[in-house]
Amino acid sequence: MSQPGSGTATAARERTGLTYQRCRWCGTASFRRLLCPVCQSSDLETELSEGHGVVVRSTVVHRYTEFARNESLVRFPEGFMFRCRVIGTAPQLVWPGARVRPASGADLSTGEVVLETVEKVERDPWR
């Protein structure tokens, strides 16, 4: 499947990423902050992350909705961590150490960061 004017869908996915801020004073990377979490400077520069990260912690949440969902703490190679939702597998099958990337059909205008697993996880028949 190709998208008009951009090559293939994989090329479009590789261009997507997350925007984060880097402090110009101390160099600390942060995500969606008004002030630097280390030196409290407001001099933040916006940069583009590659978007690939690693799950540090994962929990299954079943409040305020009819269905269970996953909330994971993800570490990005640029040096910041952020809590987001991981899709692409059952909520209980997202494990620490799983590699994730931005979801291809996710709408970032809602403010929720949605990532998908890079490796396909098969459901264990014994679970």
Side-chain angles (χ1 to χ4, degrees):
M1 179 172 132
S2 64
Q3 296 179 350
S6 67
T8 63
T10 13
R13 178 181 291 153
E14 289 172 1
R15 277 198 322 268
T16 61
L18 302 171
T19 56
Y20 68 99
Q21 294 83 24
R22 186 168 300 277
C23 179
R24 293 183 195 204
W25 287 91
C26 67
T28 302
S30 60
F31 189 68
R32 292 188 181 165
R33 297 278 186 128
L34 295 175
L35 298 174
C36 173
V38 174
C39 68
Q40 303 301 314
S41 170
S42 62
D43 193 9
L44 302 175
E45 180 179 15
T46 301
E47 296 182 6
L48 183 66
S49 168
E50 70 175 44
H52 287 72
V54 176
V55 174
V56 175
R57 182 176 48 204
S58 179
T59 59
V60 177
V61 180
H62 197 306
R63 63 175 176 253
Y64 309 122
T65 62
E66 190 173 322
F67 302 102
R69 65 184 185 280
N70 175 280
E71 285 186 2
S72 297
L73 186 64
V74 177
R75 179 184 309 270
F76 293 92
E78 291 81 12
F80 65 93
M81 293 187 351
F82 192 72
R83 186 179 339 187
C84 54
R85 189 165 56 107
V86 176
I87 60 172
T89 186
Q92 71 273 12
L93 295 179
V94 178
W95 70 95
R99 295 183 317 143
V100 292
R101 65 179 173 218
S104 57
D107 183 19
L108 293 177
S109 65
T110 60
E112 181 182 31
V113 177
V114 180
L115 302 174
E116 65 183 355
T117 56
V118 174
E119 299 97 11
K120 191 67 177 168
V121 179
E122 297 296 325
R123 184 169 178 94
D124 186 6
W126 297 101
R127 285 189 170 184

